Amino acid sequence: MSAAPGPGQFDDPRLAEALRDGDVIALTEVYDTYAPFLYDYCHGLLRDRIEAAGALRNTMI
């Protein structure tokens, strides 16, 4: 399981607004922030690294 993020790493309202505005960098920030946790969740459900990676990719798309 990935380590929990430290203080100040979550800036959800700003990221949501930036995504709405079409900011490509915001998508990178969202991925960097949430992908490890989403991957762990997908892997826990699917018990397969490749399937989990595919599920994460589909989620982010």
Side-chain angles (χ1 to χ4, degrees), residues 2-3 5 9 13 15-16 26 28 34-35 38 42 46-47 53 59-60:
S2 299
Q9 287 187 334
L15 287 175
T28 301
Y34 292 104
L38 290 171
C42 292
L46 301 170
R47 299 291 182 200
T59 299
M60 295 307 295

Side-chain angles (χ1 to χ4, degrees), residues 22-53:
D23 183 352
V24 178
I25 304 261
L27 184 57
T28 301
E29 290 181 64
V30 168
Y31 182 85
D32 289 345
T33 300
Y34 292 104
F37 302 107
L38 290 171
Y39 176 82
D40 287 346
Y41 179 73
C42 292
H43 186 262
L45 291 175
L46 301 170
R47 299 291 182 200
D48 182 275
R49 291 181 304 130
I50 294 170
E51 291 294 323

